[in-house]
Structure formats: structure tokens, C-alpha cells
Amino acid sequence: MTALEKATGDVVLKFEPFVLHVLCRELQDAQLLHSVAVDSGFRNSGITVGRGGKIMMAVRSTHCLEVPLSHKGKLMVSEEYIEFLIHIANRKMEENI
């Protein structure tokens, strides 16, 4: 709360979940890993093929959280709501583990 009181710009509480990048030798390997990841609940996973043919599989969950707290130095939410958000972010971190 002390940091928020001193803020002069916009403040956002942001939680980003675990991301695992796996370099795959074959597209079939990436597709298999993608299927396993999605079936395991990592719904934001995806496959990227670079210009040089590099195949990258990213395992990502949907545990994101991004909430604006202040705008131009003015607090837009209550302290009680910030405590609630921190509780949610900490729970997401536990799910992440």
C-alpha cells in the first residue's frame, strides 16, 4: 500500500504463470507434447516453427491475472480488494507449483 500511495502513474497487479519452452527435433514430437500438455490442463500451449525450421513447443497454463490498481496516481480500488487480489495471486502461484 505504501508503494501505491507513492505511485504517480498507472499501477497494475500482474501474475504470469509457469511457461516451459521445449525445442523439438520433429514436428511430430511437438504435436505429441502439445496433446499431452493440453490434456493436462495447460490450455494456452502452442507450437511455433521458426524461419530456419526450429520447432518450439511452449507449455502454458491459463492462470494469468492482470488487474489495474491505479490510474495517473489515483488509487482505483479499495485496500480490501487489493488484499483479495493478493490472495488470488498467491493461490494461483500454489497451483503453478
Side-chain angles (χ1 to χ4, degrees), residues 30-51:
Q31 290 170 327
L32 177 60
L33 181 56
H34 182 262
S35 293
V36 170
V38 170
D39 290 346
S40 298
F42 294 94
R43 291 180 201 92
N44 284 352
S45 299
I47 300 170
T48 304
V49 180
R51 290 183 199 150

Side-chain angles (χ1 to χ4, degrees), residues 30-81:
Q31 290 170 327
L32 177 60
L33 181 56
H34 182 262
S35 293
V36 170
V38 170
D39 290 346
S40 298
F42 294 94
R43 291 180 201 92
N44 284 352
S45 299
I47 300 170
T48 304
V49 180
R51 290 183 199 150
K54 185 164 95 172
I55 303 165
M56 186 68 67
M57 168 55 201
V59 179
R60 287 181 276 227
S61 74
T62 58
H63 296 107
C64 298
L65 177 67
E66 187 170 355
V67 183
L69 302 177
S70 71
H71 179 65
K72 296 182 181 177
K74 180 182 176 192
L75 189 61
M76 305 301 287
V77 297
S78 68
E79 185 173 345
E80 180 182 2
Y81 185 65

